Amino acid sequence: MKTEKINGLDIKVPKGSAFNFETSSELPKLHQLSLFVAKRGSGKSVAISNFVRLFGFDRVFIISPTIHSNKQMWTGLPIGLGYSFDDPDEAGIIQEIIDQIDAERDELVRYREEMKEYEKNKKRERSSQFQQLFQSDELEKPQHRWNGRIPRLALIIDDCQSSKLFSNRKFLNAVTRHRHLGQLPEGGALGISMFVAIQNYKANSGGCPRVLRNNCTTLSIFKMKDNKELDAIYEEVAGEVDRETFEDVYAEATLEPYSFLFIDLHKKDNHPSMFRKCFNQFLISS
């Protein structure tokens, strides 16, 4: 086929990335929208708690009606006062989380502006005339909880699939915008990573909302009895591998009790495969 170049109409890609944070070479990218699909008692909540710990988040929010009975599972995560919600049907909880993200953004903006003034005054302080006038005054350096860096924020959603949350428009909108929440005036945003436990991926009733599936970055699949569910998941990776390879890695990954297939849909270049058994073994097809 013959082509002819049109000058001046090239697409220019802006600087930056959809994944805002550096992570260790073995870990996936951040921000995450991570789904964990398993029947009850398969270990998906344990997997989520371990996965979240690996990233070293600064603040972790959680929505779960079983948060108190599963308290031991979340021990060690930075889930502070006002970060947990045990009623997913409660009106306003998504807005409350968004408000807290915005508050973190405002505090960071405040700190950066005060640091600009602080640096200006430090320069003035070096002049002898300024020292003579203000030598008794000592400049106080602005303080920030995270020392001027963007905090890493996470939201865990566990045991909520039968609740109204999954049909809540505010929640579904937050899923779409998760990495854009807490927008900064100079560009960029704080964003939040989401880790969602579900029992059904694409069932007719009580399935996972399409917006979650479409924005998913990583997917953890435990042993399934429903082949239709597995077929639906294969559709997500059909452009990457053939059906035989997918079935092979799934069988290997789910061989032992509580083990699962981890799929990284946006893997790093240094990772030899998008598939892992749990988090710690790459599965490389021959």
Tab-separated table of all heavy atoms in Angstrom, residues 14-50:
chain	number	residue	atom	x	y	z
A	14	PRO	N	2.298	14.263	25.193
A	14	PRO	CA	2.749	15.097	26.306
A	14	PRO	C	3.683	14.328	27.225
A	14	PRO	O	3.654	13.092	27.287
A	14	PRO	CB	1.444	15.460	27.032
A	14	PRO	CG	0.497	14.375	26.653
A	14	PRO	CD	0.869	13.967	25.268
A	15	LYS	N	4.537	15.076	27.935
A	15	LYS	CA	5.449	14.449	28.889
A	15	LYS	C	4.652	13.893	30.062
A	15	LYS	O	3.567	14.346	30.366
A	15	LYS	CB	6.480	15.469	29.380
A	15	LYS	CG	7.432	15.942	28.291
A	15	LYS	CD	8.435	16.934	28.850
A	15	LYS	CE	9.400	17.397	27.766
A	15	LYS	NZ	10.387	18.377	28.291
A	16	GLY	N	5.265	12.951	30.743
A	16	GLY	CA	4.589	12.370	31.905
A	16	GLY	C	4.081	10.981	31.579
A	16	GLY	O	4.292	10.442	30.493
A	17	SER	N	3.381	10.401	32.544
A	17	SER	CA	2.918	9.026	32.422
A	17	SER	C	1.580	8.873	33.113
A	17	SER	O	1.225	9.647	33.997
A	17	SER	CB	3.945	8.079	33.059
A	17	SER	OG	3.430	6.781	33.208
A	18	ALA	N	0.836	7.842	32.698
A	18	ALA	CA	-0.425	7.526	33.376
A	18	ALA	C	-0.161	6.925	34.752
A	18	ALA	O	-1.066	6.830	35.565
A	18	ALA	CB	-1.232	6.557	32.518
A	19	PHE	N	1.095	6.527	35.004
A	19	PHE	CA	1.470	5.928	36.280
A	19	PHE	C	2.442	6.880	36.972
A	19	PHE	O	3.575	7.065	36.529
A	19	PHE	CB	2.090	4.549	36.053
A	19	PHE	CG	1.138	3.598	35.373
A	19	PHE	CD1	1.129	3.475	33.991
A	19	PHE	CD2	0.239	2.848	36.102
A	19	PHE	CE1	0.249	2.607	33.352
A	19	PHE	CE2	-0.651	1.982	35.480
A	19	PHE	CZ	-0.638	1.861	34.101
A	20	ASN	N	1.988	7.494	38.069
A	20	ASN	CA	2.672	8.658	38.617
A	20	ASN	C	3.824	8.364	39.569
A	20	ASN	O	4.653	9.226	39.802
A	20	ASN	CB	1.658	9.539	39.365
A	20	ASN	CG	0.598	10.106	38.428
A	20	ASN	OD1	0.677	9.943	37.235
A	20	ASN	ND2	-0.397	10.774	38.990
A	21	PHE	N	3.883	7.172	40.158
A	21	PHE	CA	4.860	6.899	41.198
A	21	PHE	C	5.889	5.873	40.749
A	21	PHE	O	5.575	4.926	40.033
A	21	PHE	CB	4.159	6.372	42.462
A	21	PHE	CG	3.302	7.386	43.156
A	21	PHE	CD1	1.931	7.382	42.985
A	21	PHE	CD2	3.861	8.348	43.984
A	21	PHE	CE1	1.127	8.308	43.621
A	21	PHE	CE2	3.066	9.283	44.628
A	21	PHE	CZ	1.697	9.271	44.449
A	22	GLU	N	7.117	6.067	41.215
A	22	GLU	CA	8.148	5.059	41.017
A	22	GLU	C	7.904	3.919	42.002
A	22	GLU	O	7.612	4.146	43.172
A	22	GLU	CB	9.536	5.657	41.264
A	22	GLU	CG	9.989	6.635	40.203
A	22	GLU	CD	10.296	5.958	38.872
A	22	GLU	OE1	10.705	4.780	38.890
A	22	GLU	OE2	10.093	6.597	37.822
A	23	THR	N	8.008	2.691	41.536
A	23	THR	CA	7.918	1.533	42.407
A	23	THR	C	9.159	0.674	42.193
A	23	THR	O	9.863	0.821	41.193
A	23	THR	CB	6.659	0.696	42.113
A	23	THR	OG1	6.673	0.262	40.752
A	23	THR	CG2	5.393	1.506	42.368
A	24	SER	N	9.449	-0.223	43.134
A	24	SER	CA	10.613	-1.089	42.999
A	24	SER	C	10.485	-1.928	41.731
A	24	SER	O	9.386	-2.144	41.217
A	24	SER	CB	10.750	-1.991	44.233
A	24	SER	OG	9.667	-2.901	44.310
A	25	SER	N	11.612	-2.399	41.236
A	25	SER	CA	11.648	-3.043	39.921
A	25	SER	C	10.732	-4.257	39.827
A	25	SER	O	10.227	-4.575	38.756
A	25	SER	CB	13.085	-3.444	39.580
A	25	SER	OG	13.587	-4.369	40.538
A	26	GLU	N	10.482	-4.940	40.945
A	26	GLU	CA	9.668	-6.151	40.911
A	26	GLU	C	8.171	-5.856	40.957
A	26	GLU	O	7.354	-6.671	40.516
A	26	GLU	CB	10.018	-7.073	42.098
A	26	GLU	CG	11.463	-7.527	42.146
A	26	GLU	CD	12.378	-6.501	42.808
A	26	GLU	OE1	11.841	-5.487	43.319
A	26	GLU	OE2	13.600	-6.707	42.785
A	27	LEU	N	7.797	-4.692	41.483
A	27	LEU	CA	6.387	-4.371	41.663
A	27	LEU	C	5.764	-3.801	40.388
A	27	LEU	O	6.464	-3.228	39.549
A	27	LEU	CB	6.224	-3.342	42.784
A	27	LEU	CG	6.333	-3.851	44.221
A	27	LEU	CD1	6.320	-2.678	45.195
A	27	LEU	CD2	5.200	-4.818	44.542
A	28	PRO	N	4.437	-3.926	40.251
A	28	PRO	CA	3.738	-3.241	39.147
A	28	PRO	C	3.794	-1.728	39.332
A	28	PRO	O	4.273	-1.214	40.345
A	28	PRO	CB	2.297	-3.764	39.277
A	28	PRO	CG	2.398	-5.021	40.054
A	28	PRO	CD	3.539	-4.812	41.007
A	29	LYS	N	3.252	-1.022	38.341
A	29	LYS	CA	3.233	0.435	38.367
A	29	LYS	C	2.128	0.952	39.282
A	29	LYS	O	1.187	0.244	39.617
A	29	LYS	CB	2.999	0.970	36.945
A	29	LYS	CG	4.021	0.517	35.915
A	29	LYS	CD	3.593	0.925	34.511
A	29	LYS	CE	4.547	0.424	33.441
A	29	LYS	NZ	4.092	0.780	32.068
A	30	LEU	N	2.259	2.207	39.681
A	30	LEU	CA	1.208	2.940	40.377
A	30	LEU	C	0.885	4.189	39.551
A	30	LEU	O	1.781	4.794	38.975
A	30	LEU	CB	1.670	3.390	41.768
A	30	LEU	CG	1.774	2.332	42.864
A	30	LEU	CD1	2.234	2.989	44.167
A	30	LEU	CD2	0.454	1.612	43.093
A	31	HIS	N	-0.418	4.553	39.467
A	31	HIS	CA	-1.536	4.087	40.281
A	31	HIS	C	-2.107	2.760	39.799
A	31	HIS	O	-2.031	2.447	38.629
A	31	HIS	CB	-2.651	5.139	40.290
A	31	HIS	CG	-2.268	6.420	40.965
A	31	HIS	ND1	-1.996	6.477	42.315
A	31	HIS	CD2	-2.101	7.681	40.487
A	31	HIS	CE1	-1.699	7.715	42.654
A	31	HIS	NE2	-1.741	8.484	41.563
A	32	GLN	N	-2.758	2.046	40.746
A	32	GLN	CA	-3.388	0.768	40.449
A	32	GLN	C	-4.905	0.874	40.508
A	32	GLN	O	-5.459	1.632	41.316
A	32	GLN	CB	-2.954	-0.268	41.493
A	32	GLN	CG	-1.575	-0.846	41.270
A	32	GLN	CD	-1.583	-1.934	40.215
A	32	GLN	OE1	-2.388	-2.857	40.234
A	32	GLN	NE2	-0.662	-1.817	39.272
A	33	LEU	N	-5.559	0.089	39.654
A	33	LEU	CA	-6.951	-0.272	39.875
A	33	LEU	C	-6.964	-1.794	39.748
A	33	LEU	O	-6.975	-2.341	38.656
A	33	LEU	CB	-7.904	0.368	38.871
A	33	LEU	CG	-9.365	0.462	39.379
A	33	LEU	CD1	-10.181	1.420	38.535
A	33	LEU	CD2	-10.047	-0.887	39.442
A	34	SER	N	-6.880	-2.433	40.891
A	34	SER	CA	-6.593	-3.856	40.956
A	34	SER	C	-7.824	-4.638	41.392
A	34	SER	O	-8.414	-4.344	42.433
A	34	SER	CB	-5.437	-4.088	41.940
A	34	SER	OG	-4.963	-5.398	41.883
A	35	LEU	N	-8.209	-5.641	40.591
A	35	LEU	CA	-9.361	-6.473	40.898
A	35	LEU	C	-8.903	-7.852	41.362
A	35	LEU	O	-7.969	-8.433	40.795
A	35	LEU	CB	-10.254	-6.637	39.672
A	35	LEU	CG	-10.879	-5.379	39.065
A	35	LEU	CD1	-11.778	-5.759	37.892
A	35	LEU	CD2	-11.670	-4.613	40.100
A	36	PHE	N	-9.588	-8.375	42.389
A	36	PHE	CA	-9.320	-9.708	42.912
A	36	PHE	C	-10.622	-10.499	42.823
A	36	PHE	O	-11.605	-10.167	43.485
A	36	PHE	CB	-8.840	-9.624	44.363
A	36	PHE	CG	-7.472	-9.015	44.504
A	36	PHE	CD1	-7.279	-7.648	44.346
A	36	PHE	CD2	-6.366	-9.809	44.785
A	36	PHE	CE1	-6.015	-7.078	44.465
A	36	PHE	CE2	-5.101	-9.253	44.902
A	36	PHE	CZ	-4.923	-7.886	44.741
A	37	VAL	N	-10.628	-11.531	41.970
A	37	VAL	CA	-11.852	-12.269	41.669
A	37	VAL	C	-11.765	-13.666	42.280
A	37	VAL	O	-10.885	-14.453	41.920
A	37	VAL	CB	-12.072	-12.398	40.148
A	37	VAL	CG1	-13.449	-12.966	39.869
A	37	VAL	CG2	-11.878	-11.054	39.452
A	38	ALA	N	-12.681	-13.967	43.195
A	38	ALA	CA	-12.666	-15.282	43.834
A	38	ALA	C	-13.965	-15.514	44.579
A	38	ALA	O	-14.616	-14.575	45.036
A	38	ALA	CB	-11.496	-15.402	44.803
A	39	LYS	N	-14.321	-16.765	44.714
A	39	LYS	CA	-15.469	-17.122	45.535
A	39	LYS	C	-15.127	-16.888	47.002
A	39	LYS	O	-13.965	-16.673	47.373
A	39	LYS	CB	-15.848	-18.585	45.312
A	39	LYS	CG	-14.763	-19.569	45.723
A	39	LYS	CD	-15.157	-20.999	45.402
A	39	LYS	CE	-14.035	-21.962	45.829
A	39	LYS	NZ	-14.359	-23.361	45.504
A	40	ARG	N	-16.129	-16.924	47.826
A	40	ARG	CA	-15.967	-16.703	49.257
A	40	ARG	C	-14.976	-17.711	49.856
A	40	ARG	O	-14.986	-18.892	49.548
A	40	ARG	CB	-17.322	-16.857	49.942
A	40	ARG	CG	-17.302	-16.681	51.443
A	40	ARG	CD	-18.700	-16.872	52.010
A	40	ARG	NE	-18.729	-16.774	53.450
A	40	ARG	CZ	-19.820	-16.945	54.195
A	40	ARG	NH1	-20.975	-17.208	53.596
A	40	ARG	NH2	-19.767	-16.842	55.499
A	41	GLY	N	-14.087	-17.202	50.721
A	41	GLY	CA	-13.155	-18.068	51.424
A	41	GLY	C	-11.939	-18.499	50.630
A	41	GLY	O	-11.186	-19.362	51.072
A	42	SER	N	-11.714	-17.876	49.476
A	42	SER	CA	-10.577	-18.274	48.626
A	42	SER	C	-9.274	-17.581	49.011
A	42	SER	O	-8.197	-17.992	48.571
A	42	SER	CB	-10.885	-17.986	47.157
A	42	SER	OG	-11.978	-18.756	46.711
A	43	GLY	N	-9.372	-16.506	49.778
A	43	GLY	CA	-8.166	-15.805	50.213
A	43	GLY	C	-7.909	-14.481	49.521
A	43	GLY	O	-6.817	-13.926	49.610
A	44	LYS	N	-8.930	-13.933	48.849
A	44	LYS	CA	-8.698	-12.684	48.107
A	44	LYS	C	-8.424	-11.504	49.027
A	44	LYS	O	-7.612	-10.640	48.703
A	44	LYS	CB	-9.863	-12.382	47.164
A	44	LYS	CG	-11.234	-12.273	47.775
A	44	LYS	CD	-12.294	-12.097	46.696
A	44	LYS	CE	-13.703	-11.997	47.287
A	44	LYS	NZ	-14.115	-13.227	47.984
A	45	SER	N	-9.071	-11.457	50.203
A	45	SER	CA	-8.826	-10.345	51.127
A	45	SER	C	-7.402	-10.404	51.687
A	45	SER	O	-6.739	-9.372	51.859
A	45	SER	CB	-9.840	-10.373	52.277
A	45	SER	OG	-11.159	-10.235	51.788
A	46	VAL	N	-6.928	-11.606	51.971
A	46	VAL	CA	-5.551	-11.779	52.433
A	46	VAL	C	-4.583	-11.320	51.352
A	46	VAL	O	-3.590	-10.641	51.625
A	46	VAL	CB	-5.284	-13.252	52.805
A	46	VAL	CG1	-3.801	-13.469	53.130
A	46	VAL	CG2	-6.141	-13.678	53.990
A	47	ALA	N	-4.879	-11.682	50.103
A	47	ALA	CA	-4.018	-11.271	48.991
A	47	ALA	C	-3.978	-9.755	48.858
A	47	ALA	O	-2.913	-9.160	48.655
A	47	ALA	CB	-4.506	-11.909	47.687
A	48	ILE	N	-5.143	-9.101	48.986
A	48	ILE	CA	-5.189	-7.639	48.892
A	48	ILE	C	-4.352	-6.996	49.981
A	48	ILE	O	-3.559	-6.084	49.725
A	48	ILE	CB	-6.644	-7.131	48.973
A	48	ILE	CG1	-7.397	-7.443	47.684
A	48	ILE	CG2	-6.680	-5.616	49.230
A	48	ILE	CD1	-8.856	-7.019	47.702
A	49	SER	N	-4.525	-7.456	51.221
A	49	SER	CA	-3.784	-6.842	52.339
A	49	SER	C	-2.275	-6.973	52.127
A	49	SER	O	-1.513	-6.042	52.404
A	49	SER	CB	-4.198	-7.468	53.677
A	49	SER	OG	-3.845	-8.831	53.749
A	50	ASN	N	-1.834	-8.111	51.603
A	50	ASN	CA	-0.409	-8.299	51.322
A	50	ASN	C	0.062	-7.417	50.177
A	50	ASN	O	1.153	-6.828	50.239
A	50	ASN	CB	-0.127	-9.770	50.999
A	50	ASN	CG	0.015	-10.632	52.232
A	50	ASN	OD1	1.106	-10.830	52.750
A	50	ASN	ND2	-1.099	-11.142	52.726
